[in-house]
Amino acid sequence: MKSILVVAGTRPEIIKVAPIILLAKEAYHQRVSVKFCFTGQHRTMGEDAISIFGIELDYELEIMQSDQTLNQIAGKVFERLSGIIDNVLPDYVIVQGDTTTAASSALCAFNKRIPVAHVEAGLRSFDIDAPYPEECNRRIISCFATYNFCPTAAARDNLLREAVPENRIHVTGNTIVDALRRTMERNSFDAPSSVHPSIGDRFVLVTAHRREHFGVGFENICSAIKECALTFPDVQFVYPVHLNPNVQKPVNDILKGIPNVILLPPVSYLQLLALEKHCLFILTDSGGIQEEAPTFRKYCIVLRDRTERTESVTMGLAELVGVDKQRIVSAVTRMIHQPKITFPDRSPYGDGMASKRILDVLSQ
């Protein structure tokens, strides 16, 4: 029996490792033993995902601290995870994506000569500053991961170009599709008025939080939303606002008080999915939402100049507009006037079987 330690610390990470943990315990319990360590990089939002999926928490690092730096996060993970690895002595450590938790945990395992399995490997924007620090984190993990589980063929090709050995690469699909399938089987995602009573039938979902947009970038995003809201008073703009002061200040300074702009505190994962399901389209800088949107057949206007989720753009399911005010306004205007987009029957990010493919490899 193989011993696996899964480490995650943010809500997106937990959502994407949850199907692996659950399937391992449901169908692979005679072949693998799985332990889950929550670092607490995103304390409240991480606990939301843990609760939704009903994951058993075996270890907790409790690293969350107000206004901590990336180096403080990395240092705490590196220091506190070491003893847990010594206790578990896993055959593999699974990390997901490109967070500071993922990079620090992977390096900690590597230094102890424990093979690292990287879920969602191979994504590249080819700009070390965008997204920051995620582009650097995922490149670091690829240098030494024993198993690179790529969500798409394009991600695989990125790793091959970086001379990652082909026998260390496995194309599995993205586990976000597995997570969505599980969640949709158990939830109906009622009308968005259940999220907030003021939300009507015609609304655009907005999510924006990226570090590289702090300052002028966020001011441009908010100014564009304001212009669109004033131009289209019959369309609402629903924005769950990240708690970071660098996001809160421009959002409240520019958007607060506009009747058809609904500013919400951070919402639960299930509430976010309900908003995704019922919105007209999505305005976002989130990577995870770019992956989720095709399942709900929703178009994404991406507030970035580059994306590592190129499949949606290539297929005409998303477009890149950066943080240029006029480009944002033009894209929103076009989508409100001509919203018809043809979506494929299957998401470009997977078929819901990624977790099985990952466990098939690791349980051999």
Side-chain angles (χ1 to χ4, degrees):
M1 179 178 288
K2 299 294 186 180
S3 172
I4 299 174
L5 177 64
V6 180
V7 187
T10 68
R11 186 165 77 176
E13 286 175 287
I14 293 164
I15 291 166
K16 291 179 177 181
V17 299
I20 301 172
I21 295 171
L22 295 173
L23 185 62
K25 296 189 175 186
E26 292 165 357
Y28 289 77
H29 55 277
Q30 293 183 332
R31 297 161 65 183
V32 299
S33 170
V34 176
K35 300 292 185 183
F36 173 52
C37 176
F38 175 46
T39 71
Q41 182 175 337
H42 288 175
R43 177 78 192 189
T44 302
M45 297 178 76
E47 289 176 344
D48 168 57
I50 290 170
S51 174
I52 287 169
F53 287 97
I55 305 170
E56 180 181 344
L57 201 159
D58 298 293
Y59 301 96
E60 187 169 3
L61 301 189
E62 298 182 337
I63 69 167
M64 184 62 190
Q65 177 183 319
S66 179
D67 297 324
Q68 64 187 345
T69 66
L70 295 174
N71 284 342
Q72 288 172 325
I73 294 170
K76 289 177 185 175
V77 170
F78 210 73
E79 178 184 2
R80 299 178 188 182
L81 182 62
S82 181
I84 292 171
I85 292 177
D86 290 341
N87 181 53
V88 177
L89 294 176
D91 293 297
Y92 314 111
V93 169
I94 291 181
V95 299
Q96 195 285 325
D98 47 28
T99 67
T100 303
T101 279
S104 303
S105 301
L107 186 57
C108 184
F110 173 75
N111 284 349
K112 290 179 174 292
R113 308 298 289 174
I114 304 296
V116 172
H118 187 199
V119 175
E120 198 179 84
L123 272 63
R124 297 291 185 269
S125 69
F126 304 103
D127 182 344
I128 205 70
D129 293 316
Y132 173 85
E134 289 85 352
E135 178 73 2
C136 180
N137 287 339
R138 55 195 175 214
R139 291 193 197 185
I140 289 170
I141 300 169
S142 298
C143 293
F144 54 77
T146 302
Y147 298 93
N148 293 275
F149 294 119
C150 297
T152 65
R156 173 201 61 203
D157 294 344
N158 289 338
L159 293 182
L160 291 174
R161 281 191 289 269
E162 293 174 8
V164 175
E166 189 170 2
N167 64 356
R168 294 191 172 199
I169 301 172
H170 306 267
V171 179
T172 60
N174 199 309
T175 57
I176 190 66
V177 182
D178 304 33
L180 282 174
R181 176 175 290 183
R182 279 184 174 268
T183 309
M184 293 168 72
E185 286 173 354
R186 294 164 173 78
N187 299 274
S188 59
F189 302 127
D190 295 331
S193 58
S194 63
V195 179
H196 191 279
S198 298
I199 302 176
D201 294 332
R202 285 174 53 81
F203 70 93
V204 176
L205 174 60
V206 181
T207 76
H209 68 283
R210 300 230 62 89
R211 287 175 180 265
E212 61 265 28
H213 297 158
F214 291 171
V216 174
F218 260 101
E219 292 172 6
N220 289 345
I221 291 170
C222 294
S223 295
I225 295 169
K226 179 178 180 179
E227 182 172 328
C228 292
L230 296 176
T231 303
F232 302 101
D234 60 330
V235 176
Q236 294 175 316
F237 292 80
V238 177
Y239 188 173
V241 185
H242 198 285
L243 293 178
N244 191 304
N246 294 291
V247 179
Q248 287 277 331
K249 188 177 188 311
V251 169
N252 284 290
D253 286 350
I254 297 171
L255 297 175
K256 193 172 184 178
I258 300 174
N260 56 326
V261 175
I262 300 175
L263 303 179
L264 302 175
V267 296
S268 74
Y269 180 55
L270 294 182
Q271 289 175 320
L272 183 62
L273 293 183
L275 294 175
E276 289 183 48
K277 178 180 178 179
H278 293 282
C279 70
L280 298 175
F281 55 90
I282 303 170
L283 199 60
T284 188
D285 64 6
S286 163
I289 287 181
Q290 292 176 61
E291 295 162 345
E292 290 166 348
T295 296
F296 291 110
R297 309 178 77 82
K298 300 298 178 181
Y299 188 81
C300 274
I301 297 172
V302 182
L303 302 168
R304 293 170 57 183
D305 293 312
R306 295 178 179 86
T307 182
E308 53 287 308
R309 280 84 174 176
T310 55
E311 291 80 4
S312 289
V313 176
T314 301
M315 297 176 69
L317 311 180
E319 65 181 294
L320 301 171
V321 297
V323 293
D324 179 86
K325 176 182 174 181
Q326 201 49 55
R327 288 174 66 192
I328 298 170
V329 171
S330 296
V332 171
T333 300
R334 189 190 72 253
M335 283 303 299
I336 288 176
H337 286 317
Q338 296 178 325
K340 185 64 175 176
I341 302 292
T342 301
F343 283 82
D345 292 333
R346 182 182 132 179
S347 169
Y349 299 108
D351 59 1
M353 300 294 288
S355 300
K356 181 181 185 304
R357 295 186 183 102
I358 290 167
L359 288 169
D360 282 343
V361 172
L362 294 182
S363 63
Q364 289 178 1

